[in-house]
Amino acid sequence: NRNKDKPVVKYYEGKDGILTMVSEHLKTSKNQESYDVFSRDFVENTLTPEEMAIIRKERLSSKIRVKALYTHEKGDLQSVEDAQLIRLPQSELPVSCDIAFFEDKVRIASFKDRVVGIVIEDKEIANSFRAIFRLAWKQAEQSREGIR
């Protein structure tokens, strides 16, 4: 649907569809910032370490900076170039999806019961998701400061 008054929605199915969706995001969003929310455990259960390394390499070559809130049973992730990461307890962030907000788009990949993804292209929707993320990020930073 390419009507100016309607959001553009693309649907992706299966692991190959998710990899295509992420690759399209990385190739079309050069020199941008992406805001992400994800469960590293679900990502690791779906993608191979090699596939995750390819994605990281594509992101870095496209100069995409990331701010991410994530969960991970195994603890904190290693620092990654051009990324700010905050790990939250699964109890505070019970997500099974990988969600990213970038430019005028929202990308959602579901990993729990089925592997599917969508990209919604709409400025108002993307801006609303970004505003919610910024509020959550601010709260996560304050919580983290209080723990130290």
Side-chain angles (χ1 to χ4, degrees), residues 42 96 110-115:
F42 280 106
S96 59
S110 176
F111 294 116
K112 189 174 181 180
D113 296 325
R114 64 200 186 296
V115 180

Side-chain angles (χ1 to χ4, degrees), residues 65-128:
R65 298 167 310 283
V66 172
K67 270 190 170 180
L69 299 172
Y70 71 98
T71 61
H72 192 229
E73 292 289 327
K74 298 174 188 167
D76 290 341
L77 295 174
Q78 291 181 332
S79 293
V80 179
E81 188 178 336
D82 282 339
Q84 294 177 301
L85 307 170
I86 297 178
R87 183 175 65 88
L88 296 172
Q90 181 72 27
S91 61
E92 289 183 33
L93 189 67
V95 297
S96 59
C97 294
D98 175 17
I99 306 166
F101 328 114
F102 56 99
E103 297 177 329
D104 292 343
K105 299 174 185 154
V106 176
R107 184 193 81 213
I108 304 169
S110 176
F111 294 116
K112 189 174 181 180
D113 296 325
R114 64 200 186 296
V115 180
V116 296
I118 60 169
V119 173
I120 303 167
E121 187 174 348
D122 183 89
K123 187 175 184 173
E124 287 182 43
I125 292 172
N127 285 341
S128 294

Side-chain angles (χ1 to χ4, degrees), residues 16-78:
D16 288 340
I18 297 300
L19 291 170
T20 298
M21 177 180 73
V22 172
S23 182
E24 287 174 2
H25 161 206
L26 297 174
K27 288 177 183 169
T28 61
S29 302
K30 295 183 186 294
N31 300 306
Q32 298 290 321
E33 187 161 54
S34 180
Y35 300 92
D36 299 5
V37 176
F38 64 94
S39 165
R40 179 62 179 225
D41 301 302
F42 280 106
V43 172
E44 286 177 352
N45 288 336
T46 305
L47 304 179
T48 66
E50 294 79 17
E51 290 164 335
M52 290 189 292
I54 290 168
I55 290 169
R56 186 176 308 108
K57 185 178 176 182
E58 284 184 19
R59 181 184 68 77
L60 291 172
S61 69
S62 293
K63 296 182 173 33
I64 297 171
R65 298 167 310 283
V66 172
K67 270 190 170 180
L69 299 172
Y70 71 98
T71 61
H72 192 229
E73 292 289 327
K74 298 174 188 167
D76 290 341
L77 295 174
Q78 291 181 332

